[in-house]
Amino acid sequence: MTAPNKPVLVGTVALRHVQSLTVTEGYRVERIMGSRLVQATQPTNQTIVIEAVLIGDDRLDQRRELERVALVSRLLVANGPTGQTAVGIAVVAGLTTTLNMQVTSLRFTQSVAKKEALDVSITLVQVLPAGQAATPSDATKGRLASATAAVPSAPPPNPIARVPGDPL
């Protein structure tokens, strides 16, 4: 028996049927003055791409909630006061817990093969307040993860057998 699929939390929306989650991180590389050498000086902002399927009678409600989260993430960044520590939404998953994310792309696809489901692709980029390092402390991430675990969620959906070639 396999463990139940844990949801990925994007802002306030719990995505239960995540197909893939990609976290891209890099380092800013700068040339050392007066030398041909280069050095990685600091981490760059993270990019997260989530591919998921919205299934069930509430799939259109989830779609609207994701659109609201995308709008709120933009408003938080645009209207955030100077010195504010949180200027975006949080993404909590098994792979990462990242703060200050902004939705930069949201794509929904409905196909004939999956009439009762919506495919969703979400791209998020980390937006940091002025003067903050690119990676928040592990203590901050730990506090967020424990607070998120305390949020009640709906019971897990019935497992769906995945058979190659069988549409959802």
Side-chain angles (χ1 to χ4, degrees):
M1 182 171 168
T2 61
N5 191 12
K6 295 193 180 194
V8 171
L9 192 63
V10 178
T12 58
V13 180
L15 299 173
R16 296 206 171 274
H17 302 284
V18 174
Q19 306 301 304
S20 69
L21 184 135
T22 306
V23 178
T24 304
E25 297 175 340
Y27 291 89
R28 182 170 296 145
V29 178
E30 294 181 13
R31 187 168 302 282
I32 298 173
M33 187 182 300
S35 172
R36 295 183 311 180
L37 302 175
V38 294
Q39 179 178 5
T41 58
Q42 63 185 349
T44 59
N45 295 342
Q46 289 184 345
T47 301
I48 299 175
V49 178
I50 301 170
E51 302 286 337
V53 180
L54 305 179
I55 299 173
D57 294 336
D58 65 339
R59 66 186 177 278
L60 297 177
D61 293 334
Q62 278 189 303
R63 178 183 154 239
R64 283 188 284 279
E65 285 300 314
L66 284 169
E67 289 171 342
R68 283 188 194 110
V69 165
L71 290 173
V72 165
S73 75
R74 290 181 181 116
L75 290 174
L76 285 172
V77 171
N79 298 325
T82 304
Q84 184 177 356
T85 57
V87 295
I89 61 172
V91 175
V92 180
L95 179 63
T96 185
T97 299
T98 308
L99 304 173
N100 297 324
M101 300 300 290
Q102 179 180 6
V103 176
T104 58
S105 173
L106 189 57
R107 183 183 74 223
F108 297 98
T109 306
Q110 187 171 23
S111 65
V112 174
K114 296 189 243 182
K115 292 180 184 177
E116 300 299 319
L118 289 174
D119 291 326
V120 61
S121 176
I122 308 166
T123 303
L124 302 107
V125 174
Q126 191 175 38
V127 180
L128 299 171
Q132 181 176 330
T135 54
S137 70
D138 288 336
T140 302
K141 289 183 179 183
R143 286 193 304 271
L144 176 66
S146 14
T148 304
V151 174
S153 61
N158 291 333
I160 298 173
R162 296 182 180 172
V163 179
D166 186 25
L168 293 177

